Amino acid sequence: MSQDPLVVFTPSGKRGRFPVGTPVLTAARKLGVDLDSVCGGRGICSKCQVAPSFGEFSKHGLTSREEALSDWNRVEARYDEKRGLKPGRRLGCQAEIRGDVVIDVPPESQVHRQIVRKAASARAIPMDPATRLYYVEVAEPDMHEPSGDLQRLETALRREWGIERLEADLSVMAGLQPTLRKGGWKVTAALYRDHAGGAHKLTALFPGFHEAGLYGLAIDLGSTTIAAHLTDLDTGAVIASSGLMNPQIRFGEDLMSRVSYAMMNPGGDQEMTRAVREAIDRLAVEIAGEAGIDPAHILELTFVCNPVMHHLLLGLDPVELGQAPFALATSESARLTARDLDLGQLRDAARVYVLPCIAGHVGADAAAVALSEEPGKSEDLVLMVDVGTNAEILLGDTSRVLACSSPTGPAFEGAQISSGQRAAPGAIEAIRIDPETKEPRFRVIGCELWSDEPGFLDEVGASGITGICGSGIIEAVAELRIAGLMDPSGLIGSAEQTGSARCVPEGRTHEYLIWDASAEGGPRITVTQGDIRAIQLAKSALYAGARLLMDERGVEKVDRVVLAGAFGAHISPRHAMVLGMIPDVPLDKVTSAGNAAGTGARIALCNIARRAEIERMVREITKVETAIEPRFQEHFVAANAIPHKTDAFPELSRLVTLPQVSFGAGADREGGRRRRRRG
Ligand code: FES
């Protein structure tokens, strides 16, 4: 008795025997091969494309001949004529098995195709979004068997896709009947399924086969900016990224001032909620316009944000977050609709997922960093730092992950710095001070040349040098220390003490002059003693937070440091180490993760299982509260010196020798005793 033909699918290697005449898609489904289909085998969607391979396959023990699949049928010919099939491709739902065959499933035909992430982490995310499209043909109404249109749609989804429970949003119900009739009873349903299970929710219905695809928005809602990535929910590709300033800035620059605004002004929280929601709505339309897609095809949104932004987005009063014990209204993830957030430009039923917060000061943005960078899967002990107005810090490896937030204040962003400014063209972003001559040279954003290179001034123009941004001030302070112009306590020496005329008196202290265009009406850019104090407070808070987590973990050193966020991407690890912002590790063990929070939002958008994973991860993270921990204060004071009063920095000493200078008996009189408020 002859055996049924043997079918081998690659790359999975899944194999089985099937009777002659079995469609390839049916064989794939029976074997659990990852082969996509939206139209249910009707030859409309082309998602099921496969590439048969022919020849002798000794590794599979078969010979695959051309006649192993049925000839092209009318459906394939029509599809090829209208849209074109790549050479060698067949529609899996149309091609039938006739003999032994090897069939390759190309990446774009796999349901759970992998999106390859940037090389730095090089981990792939399998596509498995919460919302998917299903094409169905619905029975027409029949007077003899009365039933609702929704019920017949439900029956079709059950019959063709095995979907058992369906719930329809009221807004979709309103369009159900006209859509069914417009599509001639052929429709594409967008169904959302929660990662915790339950019914499928009908979030949109399109007449006929919906070819325009589905999109999602991954939104990183920061206190200063709102960044959105428009993502194709089929391929995972980011098709447009855009951002705008958070309009809440008009209610207060930093988070604490926004909490205060809510405290002082009845209804102030609602005002801020309205402002941010309107901005997100506008951003969604703008980004869709940029990409040339209809905003009505955006059916998923994910949000990452700090706890205060989280509350203000959801319309929760943030007042409790402004005072100990910093209680969140909820730390759980939120699953909502666009209507709940008043996003009127999107479909009412579009789904929103807000990542969970870790604690009252460690938000969903830190959770997103954990999702993206996976400290809990690291074999070595990794410290992850996301620096903003608060530094959110994670420390962990496979055994345990700890998290805390440290009130660094806005100095690292160039705020509260005399010549400070946001990172924008004209801002000094990098600086070097010659240890011999004590002369500075620098680079500004928007110009590739260093200030001592020919043509620099022509390229920027004197007025093109406007201030110092966060990465610039960190380098400036570290360079002052390396050049011996500032002592370990942070005191700038006088011209006599340092031998540099650039150290000029400023009241009872000194400042270092970087650039003076005041004669031409331009800026005079200096690093003042006050600037250094502000940076010392910020870096001490960051280091103390890291040390507190290390204490909690019982370790004296970490194996590597990951800097997340835009700030992390621009900061020089060497200068950060000289400053003592981060614990001492070999320099090549300090890496930047880029916008890890944004990446986390994208992961949650593309893969439903990762939503469950971050919720579990957040529950398991050990939360450490810096505000109530006395050791934080001790670490804070000791970290005030540059790089540190007591901790050794052996790796740093291998790279630079810091001059032993001292510029005053009362050098450490301020000693970092002040404690910054949260912000
Ligand atoms: Fe849609 Fe084959 S399953 S074309």
Side-chain angles (χ1 to χ4, degrees), residues 492-524:
I492 300 178
S494 65
E496 297 72 46
Q497 286 168 318
T498 61
S500 170
R502 287 187 177 268
C503 294
V504 291
E506 188 224 4
R508 292 170 54 206
T509 60
H510 295 91
E511 62 182 7
Y512 179 78
L513 180 66
I514 298 175
W515 177 251
D516 190 358
S518 53
E520 303 92 60
R524 183 172 176 278

Side-chain angles (χ1 to χ4, degrees), residues 32 283 314 391 524 570 576 644:
L283 181 58
L314 296 182
R524 183 172 176 278
H570 291 110
H644 197 273

